[in-house]
Amino acid sequence: MSCAKTNEFDRPIGKLFVRREFLKSIFYNTVGIGVIRGANLVVAIYFANELSVADYATYGVGFNIVMTFSVICVLGFGTGSVSYISSNNTTGKQLDFIYSSLLLVLAIALVFSCALFFLRAEAATYFYGNQAFAEVIGFAAVSVLSAALFGLAQSYLAALCLFREKAATQLATSVLIILLQVVGYKSAGLYGIIAGLALGNLIGLALSLIFVYRKIPFTFRRIDPKTLKNVFGYCLPLSISVLLVMPAPWIAQVIISSRSGAPVDIAIYQIALYWQNILMFFAASICGVVLPYLNKLRAGNSLNRRSDRRLFVQGAAVYIVVFVMIILPLVIFDGNLAALYGDNYADQGSIFRNVAGYSLLSAIAMYLGQWLISLKLF
């Protein structure tokens, strides 16, 4: 169940980042994300031009709820899966972790989705100060469940180093979501977009679990309370980190909506947030390759303090250079990017420069966090 052949880790540590297996994993995880997010971006720009400012703001509220709370519902089980599964070669332990984390996330997401759906009117009034958002909150609540489970299943693929399969699943799911959103918009308007997102994530979940099954066939295993407790305890520190960080984008949107109330402000924030999500997905995809490799090196006792420090510097250099190359176009072509969204947003080029700077800082913090996780310093 290792990420690469055993002799890959017998070579000098300094050559880690030029090894073909590692670079191939970076390629599949990063380029795959690039194609997917690029396609999604085209659709987002299309909807920005098709929808009115008020409708695009409403769409932004629903989209932000799905993106934010699907990650919150996963808590630390996604990163915990990558850390635990990639550092344990015992199939039984891997399956115990998969079954337990899947059950826990399903329960958390189901409770949250049901609560948000039935309290959608109260949430629209209390948080956003706008009753008109109630319906989109209800659609988003349903979408959170499928998005959370799909995200968790993608973590399993990364933990098992199935980066090619992960990229293929993301690509297929992304294309399907785009088609479903466009069809949903044509047939049901604004809310059809959110419904298309939910259905696409559900199909993506099924595809991801099929690839996991091909790697480690599922067998019937009784999940006892002690296993659930151990898995929850293992992921608890990571979960606290998620709860401290992830609500920030949603809180910012709530503040904008409740204090300003202007649809154009919410719409502009949605544009910035979407680009930030794209950039952070790139950062997460690179980190998602680095962490399993670090775990394998440490599991094989291939690292000492000196090589550990050298590996940290080399990894940071590769990571930052790649990420700067990704964000540079936002700084250079900020005005052109703003113009793509139509006349309502043509003078908002500064948001792309701000997003680039903030995302770089966030990406560096993410790398440091992944390194601490690889050291088991939760």
Side-chain angles (χ1 to χ4, degrees):
M1 300 297 175
S2 61
C3 291
K5 296 178 180 178
T6 303
N7 59 12
E8 282 288 309
F9 299 100
D10 295 332
R11 302 176 189 175
I13 298 303
K15 295 182 179 180
L16 172 65
F17 293 100
V18 295
R19 293 175 187 170
R20 185 166 65 173
E21 191 69 25
F22 181 83
L23 294 178
K24 281 171 62 178
S25 299
I26 287 284
F27 174 81
Y28 285 123
N29 226 32
T30 305
V31 175
I33 286 287
V35 173
I36 294 162
R37 298 303 161 188
N40 288 341
L41 182 60
V42 172
V43 174
I45 293 173
Y46 167 75
F47 286 134
N49 285 274
E50 286 288 314
L51 298 171
S52 66
V53 173
D55 282 346
Y56 193 71
T58 303
Y59 163 72
V61 169
F63 182 84
N64 196 15
I65 288 174
V66 176
M67 293 297 102
T68 300
F69 289 101
S70 62
V71 177
I72 290 176
C73 287
V74 175
L75 293 175
F77 295 105
T79 305
S81 297
V82 176
S83 176
Y84 184 89
I85 295 173
S86 63
S87 58
N88 283 275
N89 293 325
T90 305
T91 301
K93 291 183 177 179
Q94 291 176 331
L95 285 176
D96 282 342
F97 199 98
I98 289 174
Y99 291 167
S100 299
S101 59
L102 193 60
L103 180 61
L104 287 168
V105 171
L106 174 62
I108 293 168
L110 188 60
V111 170
F112 175 83
S113 295
C114 290
L116 184 60
F117 179 82
F118 289 112
L119 298 174
R120 59 190 182 278
E122 290 79 2
T125 302
Y126 181 79
F127 292 112
Y128 297 96
N130 190 341
Q131 186 62 33
F133 291 152
E135 191 169 0
V136 76
I137 291 175
F139 276 89
V142 177
S143 300
V144 166
L145 178 61
S146 60
L149 294 175
F150 175 57
L152 181 63
Q154 288 285 289
S155 297
Y156 298 152
L157 293 178
L160 296 168
C161 295
L162 300 175
F163 297 111
R164 182 182 303 180
E165 290 81 356
K166 182 182 178 185
T169 304
Q170 289 174 329
L171 180 59
T173 304
S174 180
V175 171
L176 184 60
I177 287 175
I178 290 170
L179 293 175
L180 290 171
Q181 284 186 317
V182 173
V183 172
Y185 171 66
K186 295 295 184 181
S187 60
L190 172 64
Y191 304 109
I193 302 174
I194 305 296
L197 178 63
L199 182 57
N201 281 326
L202 193 61
I203 297 174
L205 168 65
L207 292 174
S208 300
L209 292 179
I210 288 173
F211 282 122
V212 173
Y213 175 80
R214 290 175 59 184
K215 182 74 173 182
I216 46 173
F218 301 150
T219 57
F220 177 78
R221 302 178 69 84
R222 179 177 174 271
I223 304 175
D224 60 84
K226 183 178 179 181
T227 302
L228 290 174
K229 181 181 178 181
N230 290 338
V231 171
F232 185 82
Y234 183 86
C235 298
L236 181 59
L238 299 170
S239 300
I240 294 173
S241 175
V242 170
L243 290 173
L244 290 174
V245 175
M246 282 309 301
W250 175 74
I251 292 172
Q253 188 181 60
V254 167
I255 292 173
I256 292 172
S257 178
S258 59
R259 292 191 177 182
S260 170
V264 66
D265 290 337
I266 302 174
I268 290 172
Y269 176 75
Q270 176 58 29
I271 293 173
L273 184 63
Y274 197 92
W275 278 92
Q276 180 198 332
N277 286 337
I278 291 175
L279 295 177
M280 296 320 296
F281 268 114
F282 273 113
S285 71
I286 300 172
C287 280
V289 174
V290 172
L291 180 57
Y293 273 81
L294 292 175
N295 283 332
K296 292 300 176 184
L297 287 168
R298 291 198 171 87
N301 297 317
S302 300
L303 294 178
N304 53 44
R305 180 174 297 182
R306 182 179 177 184
S307 61
D308 215 10
R309 185 163 51 246
R310 186 166 66 247
L311 186 60
F312 172 81
V313 174
Q314 292 172 341
V318 172
Y319 179 72
I320 293 174
V321 168
V322 171
F323 196 75
V324 167
M325 291 173 62
I326 292 171
I327 66 174
L328 200 57
L330 272 72
V331 179
I332 298 174
F333 303 109
D334 55 346
N336 304 86
L337 292 171
L340 293 175
Y341 285 85
D343 295 338
N344 292 320
Y345 314 100
D347 59 345
Q348 299 297 327
S350 62
I351 64 176
F352 297 96
R353 296 191 298 273
N354 295 335
V355 168
Y358 172 78
S359 297
L360 178 60
L361 295 176
S362 298
I364 293 173
M366 181 180 291
Y367 179 82
L368 294 173
Q370 292 291 307
W371 188 267
L372 292 175
I373 291 170
S374 74
L375 293 171
K376 302 294 188 290
L377 297 176
F378 294 167

